[in-house]
């Protein structure tokens, strides 16, 4: 998104109280010149950022530096274009929600002490799977076999129960939950899934009737949208895995089963929150499956694992593991949380992502790849000499990869992850730049490294010239928690006002990698040719709340 200068000038007249023709004060002239004439182009600034920049630029000793930046900078920084998304009808109470503090529109928080460690993403995962260590887990269990962790301590059981319980769902029904979008009501009958959803808004009384009378399972989609502690957990796990982490809550009455035997295309962590549940696991028919599928009882054979999950227990199993679960007799209801991750995160998916750009790069230098295919080839099968020629191209590409002659550019997977993941926990405090405005004399560090990615992509601007590669920094600081894993977008007008990144010339890639790899770095040490370019880079990152001055 490129700044609209006429709009910016109009806003500045209102906020700063000056107009270009009659400005006399040298500092005010420089402030106006910087914001309205510089080639430093970012998303239209928020009032808070404008105020911070105004105060900083009018400070003694800084104005000459910024005047020099304005006169000599040839750097252009623009917002990356967003792909157009389908408009989604917002809930009628969304506008009212936006006027309320987060805690007023969420389920109230529990005072139950956490048994998880939130010091870092790694410590969070380690505390989740303890007493098994992280290295042992990935060496012995990850993508290999199930793990059942029995927890006998009351503190873990109490904490798990505080994450979500039946009473939370009953209160959330007053917030306009919808069938299908937010909730599914299902029951497994004779090995088949029966959906008992109504149309429209969910009523708590009808849910209770389904639970008690119809012995149906309530499946609640993505509770992290409403429960802060789940937001906190899943945001850290997304940092740990570098992949999206979704969740569902399943509430099942006694002597009932919600879903038939099936396998999923995700790595699964089950947290038993309330009651007890019997789980039966079977050997995969499709190891590390890439899609969901129901399997018949005749095909799956005998279970390899058959056990009861108690409140506070954790169960992990790899994607492709066939499973089914039911609530035993004598238990009022069972509530469990399913955390899922690593969907479409295989080596095959990565190849699908990087291969097109690799072929495109090779085609620019290898004229044989630009030669036309045989006439009518698309009307026949590819065989014989054609197959041999394609194989030769692939072998040549593999040789170049081994020799380091090819650059790997994962674009779509990175973009999908960063645009759809959760924002940092307590997001509201992060939308204003942190600390003082950076100068050439400062030492700086990146903020929220786990919430940003750097991609190299062809410039999407339509011109008569050949496309050039640019560097794009994408971040998730302004992602909407309410849309996480829901496949929804806010309306187009609001989407245009959400900044999720910056676009730089390809020459800035090395300097951005310096910042990404260093714990801290002097601005003067950035590998860019001019002081103006160095300053413009750090200022752009600072305005996006991605950089902090030490």
């Amino acid at each position: 998104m490129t700044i609209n200068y006429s709009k910016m000038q109009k806003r500045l007249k209102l906020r700063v109280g000056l107009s270009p023709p009659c400005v006399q004060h040298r500092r005010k002239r420089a402030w106006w010149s910087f914001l309205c004439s510089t080639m430093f182009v970012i998303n239209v600034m928020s009032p808070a950022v404008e105020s911070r920049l105004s105060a900083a630029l009018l400070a003694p000793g800084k104005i000459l530096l910024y005047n020099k930046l304005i006169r000599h900078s040839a750097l252009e920084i623009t917002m990356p274009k967003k792909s157009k998304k389908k408009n989604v009808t917002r809930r009628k109470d969304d506008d009212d929600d936006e006027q309320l503090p987060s805690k007023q529109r969420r389920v109230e928080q529990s005072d139950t002490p956490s048994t998880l460690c939130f010091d870092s993403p790694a410590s969070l995962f380690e505390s989740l799977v303890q007493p098994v260590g992280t290295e042992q887990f990935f060496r012995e269990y990850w993508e290999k076999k199930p793990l059942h962790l029995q927890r006998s301590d009351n503190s873990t059981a109490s904490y798990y129960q505080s994450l979500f319980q039946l009473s939370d769902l009953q209160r959330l029904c007053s917030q306009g939950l919808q069938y299908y979008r937010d909730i599914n009501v299902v029951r497994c009958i004779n090995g088949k899934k029966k959906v008992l959803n109504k149309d429209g808004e969910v009523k708590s009384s009808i849910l209770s009737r389904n639970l008690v009378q119809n012995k149906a399972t309530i499946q609640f989609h993505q509770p992290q949208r409403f429960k802060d502690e789940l937001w906190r957990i899943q945001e850290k796990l997304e940092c740990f895995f570098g992949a999206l982490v979704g969740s569902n809550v399943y509430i099942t009455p006694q002597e009932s089963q919600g879903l038939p035997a099936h396998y999923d295309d995700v790595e699964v962590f089950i947290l038993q929150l309330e009651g007890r549940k019997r789980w039966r696991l079977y050997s995969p028919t499709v190891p590390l499956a890439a899609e969901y599928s129901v399997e018949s009882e005749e095909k799956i054979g005998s279970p390899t694992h058959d056990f009861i999950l108690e409140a506070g227990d954790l169960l992990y199993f790899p994607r492709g593991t066939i499973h089914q679960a039911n609530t035993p007799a004598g238990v009022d209801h069972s509530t469990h949380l399913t955390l899922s991750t690593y969907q479409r995160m295989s080596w095959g998916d990565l190849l699908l992502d990087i291969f097109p750009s690799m072929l495109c790069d090779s085609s620019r230098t290898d004229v044989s790849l630009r030669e036309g295919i045989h006439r009518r080839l698309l009307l026949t099968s590819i065989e014989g000499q054609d197959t041999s020629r394609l194989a030769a191209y692939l072998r040549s590409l593999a040789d170049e990869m081994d020799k380091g002659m090819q650059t790997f550019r994962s674009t779509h997977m990175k973009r999908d992850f960063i645009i759809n993941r959760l924002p940092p926990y307590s997001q509201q405090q992060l939308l204003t730049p942190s600390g003082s405005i950076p100068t050439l004399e400062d030492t700086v560090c990146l903020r929220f490294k786990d919430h940003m990615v750097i991609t190299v992509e062809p410039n999407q601007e339509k011109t008569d010239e050949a496309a050039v590669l640019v560097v794009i920094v994408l971040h998730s600081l302004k992602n909407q928690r309410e849309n996480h894993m829901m496949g929804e977008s806010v309306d187009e007008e609001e989407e245009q006002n959400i900044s999720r990144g910056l676009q730089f010339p390809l020459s800035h890639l090395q300097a951005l990698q310096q910042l990404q790899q260093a714990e801290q770095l002097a601005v003067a040490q950035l590998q860019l040719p001019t002081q103006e370019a160095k300053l413009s880079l750090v200022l752009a990152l600072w305005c996006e709340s991605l950089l902090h001055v030490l």
Side-chain angles (χ1 to χ4, degrees):
M1 181 189 304
T2 304
I3 194 170
N4 183 323
Y5 280 107
S6 61
K7 181 178 179 181
M8 189 64 177
Q9 289 176 355
K10 186 175 181 180
R11 289 177 64 193
L12 283 172
K13 290 176 187 178
L14 294 174
R15 302 186 74 71
V16 184
L18 50 92
S19 56
C22 61
V23 176
Q24 301 298 324
H25 197 285
R26 180 170 63 90
R27 290 178 178 173
K28 289 185 178 180
R29 283 203 308 271
W31 164 225
W32 180 266
S33 174
F34 176 73
L35 286 177
C36 297
S37 302
T38 181
M39 292 299 289
F40 169 36
V41 185
I42 60 172
N43 187 22
V44 177
M45 300 174 194
S46 67
V49 177
E50 289 179 25
S51 177
R52 296 281 297 281
L53 278 173
S54 176
L57 289 169
L58 298 181
K62 291 187 179 179
I63 202 64
L64 294 177
L65 178 63
Y66 283 96
N67 272 334
K68 184 178 180 181
L69 168 64
I70 304 315
R71 288 195 303 271
H72 299 291
S73 177
L75 172 64
E76 181 171 2
I77 305 171
T78 59
M79 297 305 301
K81 292 187 177 181
K82 304 181 183 70
S83 58
K84 292 194 175 181
K85 299 180 182 178
K86 197 181 295 184
N87 288 349
V88 175
T89 303
R90 296 170 63 106
R91 283 164 39 190
K92 61 183 179 182
D93 58 338
D94 277 357
D95 292 336
D96 295 333
D97 276 354
E98 290 176 359
Q99 306 303 316
L100 298 174
S102 177
K103 289 185 180 179
Q104 292 184 26
R105 46 190 260 247
R106 306 290 169 207
V107 176
E108 58 266 23
Q109 290 297 290
S110 169
D111 294 328
T112 306
S114 173
T115 56
L116 300 176
C117 177
F118 290 90
D119 291 345
S120 68
S123 66
L124 184 278
F125 183 79
E126 186 172 7
S127 64
L128 182 68
V129 299
Q130 60 83 25
V132 175
T134 301
E135 290 186 9
Q136 180 187 359
F137 174 82
F138 283 98
R139 183 177 64 249
E140 298 181 13
Y141 299 99
W142 178 255
E143 294 188 336
K144 297 180 181 70
K145 62 182 181 181
L147 170 65
H148 175 205
L149 295 175
Q150 295 176 288
R151 307 273 174 63
S152 57
D153 58 301
N154 292 330
S155 58
T156 300
S158 297
Y159 175 63
Y160 275 23
Q161 185 178 23
S162 73
L163 296 177
F164 201 95
Q165 48 195 299
L166 178 58
S167 57
D168 290 332
L169 185 58
Q170 292 166 339
R171 285 193 291 271
L172 284 169
C173 285
S174 65
Q175 296 196 22
L177 301 182
Q178 300 286 320
Y179 285 105
Y180 296 102
R181 185 193 68 184
D182 301 302
I183 281 180
N184 278 333
V185 181
V186 296
R187 185 178 180 188
C188 179
I189 301 175
N190 298 323
K192 304 290 184 181
K193 181 176 75 172
K194 183 176 182 180
V195 179
L196 304 174
N197 286 356
K198 305 292 184 181
D199 291 325
E201 199 167 294
V202 177
K203 303 297 183 184
S204 177
S205 59
I206 297 178
L207 274 189
S208 298
R209 192 183 313 143
N210 273 314
L211 196 66
V212 176
Q213 296 180 6
N214 297 331
K215 289 190 173 295
T217 291
I218 301 170
Q219 179 188 32
F220 181 43
H221 302 145
Q222 311 304 334
Q224 72 277 9
R225 296 176 293 148
F226 302 93
K227 293 284 283 186
D228 285 351
E229 191 71 359
L230 292 179
W231 173 17
R232 187 184 181 198
I233 291 171
Q234 290 177 235
E235 183 261 331
K236 275 285 192 290
L237 288 176
E238 287 186 332
C239 293
F240 178 76
F241 286 111
L244 296 174
V245 177
S247 68
N248 284 325
V249 164
Y250 296 85
I251 304 173
T252 305
Q254 64 175 323
E255 298 185 280
S256 184
Q257 180 171 329
L259 300 173
H262 67 280
Y263 59 79
D264 297 298
D265 58 347
V266 287
E267 302 294 308
V268 173
F269 295 84
I270 305 292
L271 280 62
Q272 186 66 28
L273 309 183
E274 292 182 305
R276 306 162 69 228
K277 202 159 198 177
R278 180 192 179 192
W279 285 83
R280 285 170 288 171
L281 310 182
Y282 305 82
S283 296
T285 53
V286 183
L288 302 180
E291 59 185 358
Y292 167 93
S293 180
V294 173
E295 291 282 35
S296 65
E297 294 281 354
E298 297 79 21
K299 189 176 180 180
I300 62 179
S302 301
T304 58
H305 300 75
D306 189 338
F307 45 74
I308 299 288
L309 280 190
E310 305 279 355
D313 286 358
L314 180 141
L315 170 64
Y316 159 80
F317 52 83
R319 57 193 186 278
T321 302
I322 302 169
H323 56 279
Q324 58 182 328
N326 65 281
T327 303
V331 179
D332 181 68
H333 67 273
S334 162
T335 304
H336 79 261
L337 173 75
T338 297
L339 296 171
S340 57
T341 190
Y342 254 60
Q343 186 178 48
R344 294 188 292 276
M345 289 288 290
S346 68
W347 287 105
D349 293 307
L350 183 61
L351 278 173
L352 286 172
D353 189 19
I354 66 175
F355 215 69
S357 63
M358 289 173 57
L359 280 176
C360 183
D361 292 345
S362 295
S363 295
R364 290 176 178 175
T365 57
D366 186 351
V367 68
S368 66
L369 284 171
R370 302 199 299 271
E371 293 176 357
I373 61 176
H374 296 155
R375 289 182 299 106
R376 298 180 59 82
L377 180 61
L378 300 182
L379 299 176
T380 61
S381 60
I382 300 176
E383 55 187 20
Q385 291 184 347
D386 297 324
T387 302
S388 299
R389 184 166 182 171
L390 289 173
Y393 286 141
L394 293 175
R395 280 192 293 270
S396 175
L397 197 59
D399 290 340
E400 292 179 3
M401 292 166 61
D402 278 338
K403 296 174 183 177
M405 299 168 61
Q406 279 286 347
T407 301
F408 303 107
R409 297 204 307 269
S410 173
T411 300
H412 298 295
M413 290 178 70
K414 284 186 174 183
R415 184 180 287 272
D416 179 71
F417 170 53
I418 215 70
I419 287 180
N420 291 296
R421 67 160 302 181
L422 280 165
Y425 184 66
S426 299
Q427 175 191 27
Q428 292 83 356
Q429 304 170 11
L430 311 175
L431 301 183
T432 302
S434 169
S436 59
I437 189 170
T439 69
L440 286 171
E441 293 76 26
D442 286 325
T443 297
V444 297
C445 66
L446 286 182
R447 306 172 71 203
F448 312 112
K449 287 185 180 182
D450 289 338
H451 283 268
M452 62 177 287
V453 295
I454 299 173
T455 69
V456 177
E457 307 175 29
N459 191 349
Q460 297 300 313
E461 292 183 6
K462 294 183 178 180
T463 66
D464 292 334
E465 300 177 358
V468 297
L469 294 178
V470 295
V471 181
I472 294 180
V473 178
L474 295 169
H475 65 79
S476 58
L477 269 59
K478 298 174 185 177
N479 286 4
Q480 302 301 299
R481 168 195 180 186
E482 292 79 5
N483 296 327
H484 185 242
M485 301 298 288
M486 295 299 292
E488 295 183 355
S489 170
V490 293
D491 61 67
E492 189 170 336
E493 181 178 353
E494 184 171 345
E495 179 75 11
Q496 288 299 314
N497 291 326
I498 297 176
S499 160
R500 288 198 177 92
L502 296 163
Q503 177 177 304
F504 299 92
L506 189 59
S507 59
H508 285 55
L509 178 60
Q510 196 168 5
L512 286 164
Q513 291 172 338
Q514 277 183 278
L515 288 167
Q516 195 174 42
Q517 295 166 6
E519 290 295 324
Q520 58 184 53
L521 187 71
V523 175
Q525 293 179 347
L526 287 171
Q527 295 183 17
L528 287 168
T530 65
Q531 291 184 338
E532 291 75 24
K534 296 175 183 179
L535 194 54
S536 292
L537 173 63
V538 294
L539 189 56
L541 295 170
W542 179 82
C543 284
E544 286 290 293
S545 301
L546 295 173
L547 184 132
H548 178 71
V549 178
L550 299 175

